[in-house]
Amino acid sequence: MEKIYRDADVDQTILNGKTIAVIGYGIQGKVQAANARDSGCRVIIGTRSAEESPSRKQAAADGFDAMSIADATKKADILLIELADPAQPPIYKAEIGPNLRPGQTLCFCHGFNVLYGAIKPPKNVNTVLYVPNAPGAFVREKYLKGEGVYGCVSVDHDATGDALQIVLAISKAVGSTRAGVVEMTFQHETEGDNFEE
């Protein structure tokens, strides 16, 4: 039987002193950034658009330090990749990959691009997955009520020896361990999501 992780099972202090960059300020990015910040995490926003773009302006209006994806990658310890699947490979190649450093954590919102080789992270970074199983607005609504939306986590590559603890801490910061988080593989998550869609 798969283990279900809940709040008491997860130590969020592993995120202390770390900067989380949410890459993409859309439906999930906006919500996960807000929840993580409200949980005490240091959060910045990386957007692919110019300074005058609506998403960057919105992130700034919401009180976040918003910048280019390249700059956010350089400043972050953990990157939450909240971009749509088709947009991820070219942005990764241009802005994320060249700016990675050893020991960072890449956290994807869907396993598709990693599973099928469109994105190949270096072996000196953690490659993980966290997915809350609900639309962004509902994730935020439940969080604000002191509840959560269940989700899944996965570790594709553990470069630092604590990748699972890091991704579980992210899921706790967003609120999912309040309801329960299940560990699965990138393949399981991706194929399950493709089947549902």
Side-chain angles (χ1 to χ4, degrees):
M1 182 167 172
E2 294 173 319
K3 177 172 174 56
I4 299 173
Y5 294 90
R6 304 193 190 277
D7 274 357
D9 303 314
V10 180
D11 182 6
Q12 193 185 307
T13 62
I14 196 169
L15 303 180
N16 290 355
K18 290 183 167 61
T19 297
I20 298 172
V22 175
I23 306 300
Y25 201 64
I27 295 169
Q28 281 288 349
K30 182 176 182 178
V31 164
Q32 292 188 36
N35 288 8
R37 179 175 62 185
D38 288 354
S39 293
C41 298
R42 183 191 306 153
V43 181
I44 61 176
I45 307 298
T47 66
R48 54 182 163 159
S49 307
E51 288 183 20
E52 63 274 9
S53 76
S55 61
R56 193 172 300 182
K57 281 184 175 180
Q58 184 62 58
D62 291 340
F64 290 103
D65 190 6
M67 63 202 71
S68 71
I69 290 171
D71 286 343
T73 301
K74 292 173 188 175
K75 291 185 176 185
D77 301 290
I78 298 164
L79 286 85
L80 301 191
I81 312 297
E82 298 295 336
L83 302 163
D85 286 334
Q88 288 181 20
I91 291 173
Y92 177 87
K93 184 177 180 182
E95 297 194 65
I96 298 173
N99 295 300
L100 290 174
R101 64 182 183 276
Q104 285 177 297
T105 296
L106 283 171
C107 183
F108 290 87
C109 59
H110 184 33
F112 186 91
N113 283 305
V114 173
L115 179 64
Y116 296 115
I119 293 176
K120 297 178 181 177
K123 293 300 182 185
N124 59 7
V125 303
N126 296 323
T127 304
V128 301
L129 174 79
Y130 161 58
V131 184
N133 198 18
F138 190 65
V139 173
R140 183 65 175 159
E141 180 185 327
K142 296 288 274 187
Y143 180 91
L144 291 173
K145 289 180 177 177
E147 302 170 3
V149 169
Y150 76 93
C152 71
V153 296
S154 180
V155 176
D156 185 69
H157 181 70
D158 184 355
T160 60
D162 56 4
L164 178 60
Q165 289 74 24
I166 290 170
V167 72
L168 284 170
I170 292 165
S171 73
K172 182 173 184 174
V174 177
S176 283
T177 50
R178 295 172 178 178
V181 169
V182 176
E183 186 180 2
M184 60 177 61
T185 66
F186 268 53
Q187 182 175 6
H188 186 177
E189 184 278 332
T190 301
E191 292 180 352
D193 189 71
N194 290 346
F195 182 76
E196 284 180 8
E197 290 179 1

